Amino acid sequence: MNGRIGVDLGGTKIEALALDRGGREVFRKRVPTPRGDYSATIAAVKALVRDAGEGSVGIGIPGAESQATGLIKNANSTWLIGKPLRKDLEAALGRPVRLENDANCFALSEAVDGAGMGAAVVFGVILGTGVGGGIAVDGKIIRGANAIAGEWGHNPLPQPSEQDFPLPPCYCGRAGCIETYLSGPGLSRDHERRTGQRLKPEQIVSLGDQSLERYMERLAKALASIINVLDPDVIVLGGGMSNVARLYTEVPRLWGRHVFSDQVATRLAPPVHGDSSGVRGAAWLWND
Ligand SMILES: [Zn+2]
């Protein structure tokens, strides 16, 4: 077998990478995503894979393939929704393609040779413009019966306290979703509601005031509910908020009160591969 090619089909850029048989990076290229244009998106992936050469092809997308229909759902790159993307890519590339949600690719990448290397159960969390997640067990993604395993962002925030009300409305039609508090924009909205000041997440983080304290308490509660269900060895954070160093010391201090255990052995870790985790995880979809 030749190497493994991974493609991260994002909303603003498409990135491809090739790993040799030893897992070393031997090719990388990125192009802007032809937003809104489905056939141009297929053509862009085809050109990148041609440049990457021979090898298996895994693709990460900001969405999921419906198990029922094979069509794309839950994608914020809306021009992919309802399309038979995997079939169309296989036809264009002349190779079998494995397609996965990008948060699942992140979890897989960190599980195979990142922050979760050697751990049996890894929960990968995206804290970015949205909140997503993925589960890798023994170096394999758990996709789930509905292809939504790990998607904790649209669960309600556990045990909301006075400061969490009124529950913020979410684009998914619910209110008080974890994503409305723990995404970057969620932190900005919360800070504005409290202070009247409109700031970027990184500005709020550098203030280090009550808004960040509240964010960390909410993250601790939300992750504690994951620990109670999945009991992962490692939780790896990704997305813009994963750059906040304080999370890794403060949140494990806070989550103990919410976890149903005398001690919590779960580690909270920053990503090893950072922004490359998605494209690396896509390549590792052929990890068998
Ligand atoms: Zn929601």
Side-chain angles (χ1 to χ4, degrees), residues 153-154 170-174 177 179-180:
H154 297 275
C170 183
Y171 77 88
C172 75
R174 301 171 186 88
C177 290
E179 176 168 306
T180 65

